[in-house]
PDB file of all heavy atoms in Angstrom:
ATOM      1  N   ILE W  52      -3.320 -34.592  16.666  1.00  0.00           N
ATOM      2  CA  ILE W  52      -2.290 -33.914  17.513  1.00  0.00           C
ATOM      3  C   ILE W  52      -2.892 -33.801  18.942  1.00  0.00           C
ATOM      4  O   ILE W  52      -3.987 -33.460  19.151  1.00  0.00           O
ATOM      5  CB  ILE W  52      -2.010 -32.508  16.907  1.00  0.00           C
ATOM      6  CG1 ILE W  52      -1.423 -32.638  15.483  1.00  0.00           C
ATOM      7  CG2 ILE W  52      -1.179 -31.741  17.884  1.00  0.00           C
ATOM      8  CD1 ILE W  52      -1.422 -31.388  14.768  1.00  0.00           C
ATOM      9  N   GLN W  53      -2.040 -34.095  19.899  1.00  0.00           N
ATOM     10  CA  GLN W  53      -2.501 -34.105  21.328  1.00  0.00           C
ATOM     11  C   GLN W  53      -1.729 -32.880  22.009  1.00  0.00           C
ATOM     12  O   GLN W  53      -0.473 -32.756  22.017  1.00  0.00           O
ATOM     13  CB  GLN W  53      -2.193 -35.402  22.104  1.00  0.00           C
ATOM     14  CG  GLN W  53      -2.767 -36.646  21.414  1.00  0.00           C
ATOM     15  CD  GLN W  53      -4.360 -36.694  21.789  1.00  0.00           C
ATOM     16  OE1 GLN W  53      -4.775 -36.054  22.712  1.00  0.00           O
ATOM     17  NE2 GLN W  53      -5.050 -37.407  20.935  1.00  0.00           N
ATOM     18  N   VAL W  54      -2.503 -32.102  22.739  1.00  0.00           N
ATOM     19  CA  VAL W  54      -2.027 -30.869  23.352  1.00  0.00           C
ATOM     20  C   VAL W  54      -2.536 -30.789  24.753  1.00  0.00           C
ATOM     21  O   VAL W  54      -3.638 -31.126  25.020  1.00  0.00           O
ATOM     22  CB  VAL W  54      -2.457 -29.622  22.581  1.00  0.00           C
ATOM     23  CG1 VAL W  54      -1.756 -28.382  23.112  1.00  0.00           C
ATOM     24  CG2 VAL W  54      -2.134 -29.645  21.163  1.00  0.00           C
ATOM     25  N   ALA W  55      -1.630 -30.336  25.690  1.00  0.00           N
ATOM     26  CA  ALA W  55      -2.097 -30.254  27.079  1.00  0.00           C
ATOM     27  C   ALA W  55      -1.218 -29.098  27.735  1.00  0.00           C
ATOM     28  O   ALA W  55      -0.187 -28.720  27.161  1.00  0.00           O
ATOM     29  CB  ALA W  55      -1.991 -31.450  27.911  1.00  0.00           C
ATOM     30  N   GLY W  56      -1.693 -28.675  28.923  1.00  0.00           N
ATOM     31  CA  GLY W  56      -0.945 -27.661  29.664  1.00  0.00           C
ATOM     32  C   GLY W  56      -1.711 -26.474  30.108  1.00  0.00           C
ATOM     33  O   GLY W  56      -2.818 -26.614  30.666  1.00  0.00           O
ATOM     34  N   SER W  57      -1.034 -25.278  29.990  1.00  0.00           N
ATOM     35  CA  SER W  57      -1.442 -23.991  30.676  1.00  0.00           C
ATOM     36  C   SER W  57      -2.975 -23.679  30.418  1.00  0.00           C
ATOM     37  O   SER W  57      -3.459 -23.737  29.314  1.00  0.00           O
ATOM     38  CB  SER W  57      -0.612 -22.881  30.026  1.00  0.00           C
ATOM     39  OG  SER W  57      -1.212 -21.543  30.305  1.00  0.00           O
ATOM     40  N   SER W  58      -3.640 -23.267  31.535  1.00  0.00           N
ATOM     41  CA  SER W  58      -5.029 -22.918  31.375  1.00  0.00           C
ATOM     42  C   SER W  58      -5.084 -21.565  30.838  1.00  0.00           C
ATOM     43  O   SER W  58      -6.180 -21.181  30.299  1.00  0.00           O
ATOM     44  CB  SER W  58      -5.707 -22.930  32.815  1.00  0.00           C
ATOM     45  OG  SER W  58      -4.960 -22.072  33.665  1.00  0.00           O
ATOM     46  N   THR W  59      -4.046 -20.699  30.850  1.00  0.00           N
ATOM     47  CA  THR W  59      -4.054 -19.414  30.228  1.00  0.00           C
ATOM     48  C   THR W  59      -4.007 -19.565  28.701  1.00  0.00           C
ATOM     49  O   THR W  59      -4.692 -18.871  27.972  1.00  0.00           O
ATOM     50  CB  THR W  59      -2.855 -18.563  30.722  1.00  0.00           C
ATOM     51  OG1 THR W  59      -2.958 -18.412  32.096  1.00  0.00           O
ATOM     52  CG2 THR W  59      -2.810 -17.284  29.959  1.00  0.00           C
ATOM     53  N   VAL W  60      -3.154 -20.472  28.273  1.00  0.00           N
ATOM     54  CA  VAL W  60      -3.033 -20.660  26.777  1.00  0.00           C
ATOM     55  C   VAL W  60      -4.178 -21.519  26.255  1.00  0.00           C
ATOM     56  O   VAL W  60      -4.440 -21.465  25.040  1.00  0.00           O
ATOM     57  CB  VAL W  60      -1.713 -21.339  26.461  1.00  0.00           C
ATOM     58  CG1 VAL W  60      -1.495 -21.581  24.939  1.00  0.00           C
ATOM     59  CG2 VAL W  60      -0.525 -20.476  27.006  1.00  0.00           C
ATOM     60  N   LEU W  61      -4.858 -22.291  27.110  1.00  0.00           N
ATOM     61  CA  LEU W  61      -5.932 -23.218  26.611  1.00  0.00           C
ATOM     62  C   LEU W  61      -6.953 -22.490  25.747  1.00  0.00           C
ATOM     63  O   LEU W  61      -7.230 -23.093  24.696  1.00  0.00           O
ATOM     64  CB  LEU W  61      -6.636 -23.685  27.845  1.00  0.00           C
ATOM     65  CG  LEU W  61      -7.953 -24.615  27.628  1.00  0.00           C
ATOM     66  CD1 LEU W  61      -7.536 -25.839  26.862  1.00  0.00           C
ATOM     67  CD2 LEU W  61      -8.656 -24.950  29.016  1.00  0.00           C
ATOM     68  N   PRO W  62      -7.564 -21.422  26.019  1.00  0.00           N
ATOM     69  CA  PRO W  62      -8.498 -20.778  25.039  1.00  0.00           C
ATOM     70  C   PRO W  62      -7.899 -20.461  23.711  1.00  0.00           C
ATOM     71  O   PRO W  62      -8.572 -20.659  22.762  1.00  0.00           O
ATOM     72  CB  PRO W  62      -9.085 -19.628  25.852  1.00  0.00           C
ATOM     73  CG  PRO W  62      -8.055 -19.298  26.802  1.00  0.00           C
ATOM     74  CD  PRO W  62      -7.411 -20.526  27.278  1.00  0.00           C
ATOM     75  N   PHE W  63      -6.654 -19.913  23.686  1.00  0.00           N
ATOM     76  CA  PHE W  63      -6.009 -19.663  22.481  1.00  0.00           C
ATOM     77  C   PHE W  63      -5.637 -20.909  21.643  1.00  0.00           C
ATOM     78  O   PHE W  63      -5.915 -20.959  20.414  1.00  0.00           O
ATOM     79  CB  PHE W  63      -4.677 -18.895  22.729  1.00  0.00           C
ATOM     80  CG  PHE W  63      -4.893 -17.628  23.668  1.00  0.00           C
ATOM     81  CD1 PHE W  63      -4.058 -17.384  24.659  1.00  0.00           C
ATOM     82  CD2 PHE W  63      -5.979 -16.735  23.355  1.00  0.00           C
ATOM     83  CE1 PHE W  63      -4.164 -16.258  25.451  1.00  0.00           C
ATOM     84  CE2 PHE W  63      -6.119 -15.617  24.112  1.00  0.00           C
ATOM     85  CZ  PHE W  63      -5.226 -15.357  25.205  1.00  0.00           C
TER      86      PHE W  63
END
Side-chain angles (χ1 to χ4, degrees):
I52 298 166
Q53 301 287 337
V54 186
S57 166
S58 57
T59 300
V60 181
L61 174 64
F63 305 134

